Amino acid sequence: MQERQLKAALFDLDGVVFDTEPQYTVFWGEQCRLYHPEHPGLEQEIKGSTLTQIYDCWFSGPLTKEQPVITERLNAYEQQMSYDYIEGFIAFVDDLHRHGVKTAVVTSSNLPKMESVYRKQPGFKQLFDAILTSEDFERSKPDPDCYLKAALKLGAEPDACVVFEDSVNGLHSGLDAQMKVVGLLTTNPLAVVALLSDLQVSDYVGLTYDTLSRSLKFAL
């Protein structure tokens, strides 16, 4: 059977494009200590969860009324965050484009968050053929809906796509979309990521279209 050629690379945002996870840990650490002092280290447990999932699990019932307050704090926090690219990311994306691979961001972040990203990184939009946010999905990760929508938008079959993810939910989403998955080791340990991905990397240094295609058995 002829090997499939790589047509599209689909990237989660935080912990995959940007090295922002440590900043979110600081924010959620403050909220968790305020609302759940009985559960130290909760901010580590909720890493990789969407805002809806965090609210449903930890800020429902009597704490439901606090959700708008936390959201307002989060929006303000994201406006002052720094958005630094994971090392080697821009060079890697440029190489993908030179080989005709389309790229998309597929994130659970909302439009207000993305406006902060665009202000801090004016060249961000030019790196991608499509940007899909939480407003574009009916179902959040780990459901594969978001990645299937991204593939459709880019005109690529799922088996011609590779997903780049760092969270457990995101890794499941990519696998359930029947796509190849690269796991970033920015949020979870290798032992966790390796179980849910075809290839594991710490960053993008040295990663190219050729090395990726060989590792994932795409045609060159």
Side-chain angles (χ1 to χ4, degrees), residues 89-99 126-127:
F89 178 76
I90 294 179
F92 175 57
V93 169
D94 286 345
D95 189 54
L96 291 178
H97 285 163
R98 281 194 294 272
H99 287 86
Q126 284 66 53
L127 294 172

Side-chain angles (χ1 to χ4, degrees), residues 13-15 17-21 23-24 74-86 89-90 107 109-122 124 127:
L13 188 68
D14 295 295
V17 175
F18 294 129
D19 186 18
T20 47
E21 287 302 325
Q23 296 175 83
Y24 279 112
L74 179 60
N75 289 341
Y77 186 81
E78 288 174 337
Q79 288 180 14
Q80 56 82 42
M81 279 174 52
S82 60
Y83 295 95
D84 299 322
Y85 290 104
I86 299 287
F89 178 76
I90 294 179
T107 177
S109 299
N110 58 21
L111 289 175
K113 153 76 171 291
M114 296 311 296
E115 290 301 325
S116 298
V117 169
Y118 303 148
R119 283 197 304 274
K120 295 291 183 71
Q121 292 288 1
F124 178 83
L127 294 172

Side-chain angles (χ1 to χ4, degrees), residues 37-207:
E38 81 289 350
H39 200 120
L42 178 58
E43 66 274 16
Q44 301 296 332
E45 295 181 32
I46 63 177
K47 276 188 174 183
S49 300
T50 66
L51 187 59
T52 298
Q53 290 164 343
I54 293 171
Y55 282 166
D56 287 347
C57 289
W58 296 103
F59 297 90
S60 57
L63 289 177
T64 300
K65 66 182 186 303
E66 297 298 320
Q67 291 181 12
V69 178
I70 298 170
T71 299
E72 187 174 342
R73 290 177 189 149
L74 179 60
N75 289 341
Y77 186 81
E78 288 174 337
Q79 288 180 14
Q80 56 82 42
M81 279 174 52
S82 60
Y83 295 95
D84 299 322
Y85 290 104
I86 299 287
E87 193 172 2
F89 178 76
I90 294 179
F92 175 57
V93 169
D94 286 345
D95 189 54
L96 291 178
H97 285 163
R98 281 194 294 272
H99 287 86
V101 178
K102 294 183 178 180
T103 57
V105 162
V106 185
T107 177
S108 299
S109 299
N110 58 21
L111 289 175
K113 153 76 171 291
M114 296 311 296
E115 290 301 325
S116 298
V117 169
Y118 303 148
R119 283 197 304 274
K120 295 291 183 71
Q121 292 288 1
F124 178 83
K125 290 182 179 179
Q126 284 66 53
L127 294 172
F128 304 99
D129 298 285
I131 298 173
L132 286 77
T133 64
S134 62
E135 290 82 0
D136 296 308
F137 315 133
E138 295 172 11
R139 298 177 296 280
S140 298
K141 303 170 187 178
D143 193 282
D145 175 57
C146 56
Y147 283 116
L148 293 172
K149 278 191 168 74
L152 186 64
K153 192 174 184 70
L154 295 183
E157 294 296 324
D159 63 355
C161 297
V162 58
V163 165
F164 292 80
E165 270 285 358
D166 64 316
S167 71
V168 170
N169 283 336
L171 294 165
H172 276 296
S173 180
L175 289 176
D176 289 348
Q178 304 299 306
M179 299 175 181
K180 294 290 187 180
V181 177
V182 176
L184 273 290
L185 303 176
T186 52
T187 303
N188 290 291
L190 176 61
V192 173
V193 175
L195 294 174
L196 299 169
S197 57
D198 302 289
L199 174 67
Q200 302 81 45
V201 298
S202 298
D203 53 36
Y204 300 95
V205 175
L207 195 62

